[in-house]
Amino acid sequence: MIIKPSIRSNFFTNSHPLGIKKMMDTYVAEVKKLDKFQGPKNVLIIGGSSGYGLATRLTLAFSAGANTINVSFENQGSASKTGSAGYWNNLFFQDAVKDFNQTHLDFNGDAFSPEMKQKVLETIQEKFGKIDLLVYSLASGARKNFETGDLIRSAIKPIGKPAEGKTIDIKSLTVEPLTVEPATEEEVKNTVFVMGGSDWYDWVMTLEQAGVLNEGFKTISYTYVGGKNTDNIYRSGTIGKAKEDLEAAVIKMDQVLKPKYHGEALISSSKAIVSKASVFIPQMPIYVSYLFDVMTKNHTHETTLEHKHRLFKDMVYGNKRLLDDLGRIRIDHKEMEASTQKIVADLMHQPEDENFLELPGTKLFLTEFYQINGFSVPGVDEEQEVDLETLITKYHNEKYQNV
Ligand code: NAD
């Protein structure tokens, strides 16, 4: 099969496995250059197949020597369908660590389901005994309510008044004006249900009650605070309400983890990156392009991997933790520098910038978006036939289980 990019509503409906293999080689070469540190031994990552979860998995496996279980929800490839990028990330991650004296397992299916929690619990009991860290890095547009059977969808919308701005249509490479109408109360509630803290809490409490948390156990999830440039669509919008709920789960979990395990629940406000989830949020492509432009020029730009590596080495397991007055880890401090935010704001509010698509930051944003899906990767000939069946036979093994 010859695989060409297929994009719908800023979402890739396919992926290029050979490009993803090369990207994994690049990540592995990058992480091998980063410092080693003392970290957790056994880690469970919910959402470890792409974006921040994958960067977390690479950091902990390569720099801290951790064993990992990853739960993600990806479309599996077949002879006639490429499957999603995360499917191949999981297979190629396994290939990259196959000679390590570590255990790495993948479960593919719905992390929200009781069945997945049970399967993972049994696997922890069987393979690890106990875990030292649970990372909750899930980003989803929908969550099944297992009590009623309903599928609840999130809605990324402002609250109270419309959000006016621009976005990039990545397929046509045009900048489009955009007005997003405010959410209804129901949409706010649904977004909190899908992207808030209740499922993270359920995971930790299920494992706690089963007695598989180690002394010193930690759990962490990733929020986004941002500033005025993203406020109307993000922090003051439906997703912001969900993030408030996620942040509040820390307090509830700490009440159990601190006294019983001398452990802790943490929330890190992480910087804006290019991921499947972030590109989908209206206005973010414009903000992230300008941000990359400014931060690259300032030499404060970090790759997704560098960002997560610094988080775990310095702020989760090191002694350089930066906290705000709500107790959140502010690894995003470089993005949030007042001067950076001001330059980005000026750029976002200037009249039409004809060169926008040519800016180095925009090009970096677009290139990364293609590359996380395996396209536009140097050294990969996209005119070449790809034999998906042979790749699946070679890389898909018993470490990857569908639940
Ligand atoms: P992503 O889309 O790259 O990854 C999401 C992960 O969740 C994937 O592994 C996917 O398979 C998994 N997933 C989705 N639905 C699932 C389900 N039902 N069951 C099991 N797994 C499921 O997203 P990301 O951008 O890395 O986001 C991860 C977290 O980081 C989110 O909480 C997000 O809000 C947060 N965050 C992201 C940014 C950003 O700029 N991308 C910034 C700050 C915080």
Side-chain angles (χ1 to χ4, degrees), residues 47-53 71-74 109-112 137-140 195 222-224 234 243 270-273 275-278:
S49 63
S50 63
Y52 272 144
V71 177
S72 55
F73 206 1
E74 299 292 342
D110 190 356
F112 294 121
S137 187
L138 187 144
S140 176
M195 284 294 286
Y222 305 139
T223 189
Y224 183 71
Y234 204 100
K243 289 302 188 190
S270 296
K271 72 164 193 153
I273 56 156
S275 74
K276 187 170 66 182
S278 67

Side-chain angles (χ1 to χ4, degrees), residues 297-310:
K297 283 184 190 137
N298 285 347
H299 304 289
T300 52
H301 181 75
E302 287 175 309
T303 64
T304 305
L305 196 50
E306 285 168 336
H307 193 66
K308 282 293 135 183
H309 183 273
R310 194 164 62 87

Side-chain angles (χ1 to χ4, degrees), residues 3 33 54 61 119 135 149 208-209 284 297 379 397:
I3 307 170
K33 287 194 200 128
L54 175 61
K119 178 79 198 166
V135 180
E208 197 282 314
Q209 278 151 24
M284 282 311 250
K297 283 184 190 137
N397 57 34

Side-chain angles (χ1 to χ4, degrees), residues 169-231:
D169 181 75
I170 292 174
K171 190 170 181 187
S172 62
L173 276 186
T174 49
V175 177
E176 311 277 356
L178 176 85
T179 302
V180 186
E181 292 303 327
T184 61
E185 269 180 38
E186 181 77 5
E187 286 172 322
V188 176
K189 202 174 90 203
N190 288 350
T191 308
V192 171
F193 180 72
V194 178
M195 284 294 286
S198 64
D199 185 58
W200 179 23
Y201 181 82
D202 286 351
W203 268 102
V204 172
M205 287 306 129
T206 302
L207 301 182
E208 197 282 314
Q209 278 151 24
V212 297
L213 306 186
N214 239 334
E215 173 71 10
F217 170 83
K218 294 181 197 291
T219 185
I220 188 166
S221 187
Y222 305 139
T223 189
Y224 183 71
V225 176
K228 281 192 185 138
N229 293 319
T230 51
D231 196 58

Side-chain angles (χ1 to χ4, degrees), residues 64 84 103 173 197 213 246 255 284 292 296 316 333 347 381 402:
S84 55
T103 304
L173 276 186
L213 306 186
L246 187 79
Q255 286 166 358
M284 282 311 250
F292 278 13
T296 309
V316 176
H333 60 104
L347 291 168
D381 177 5
N402 290 309

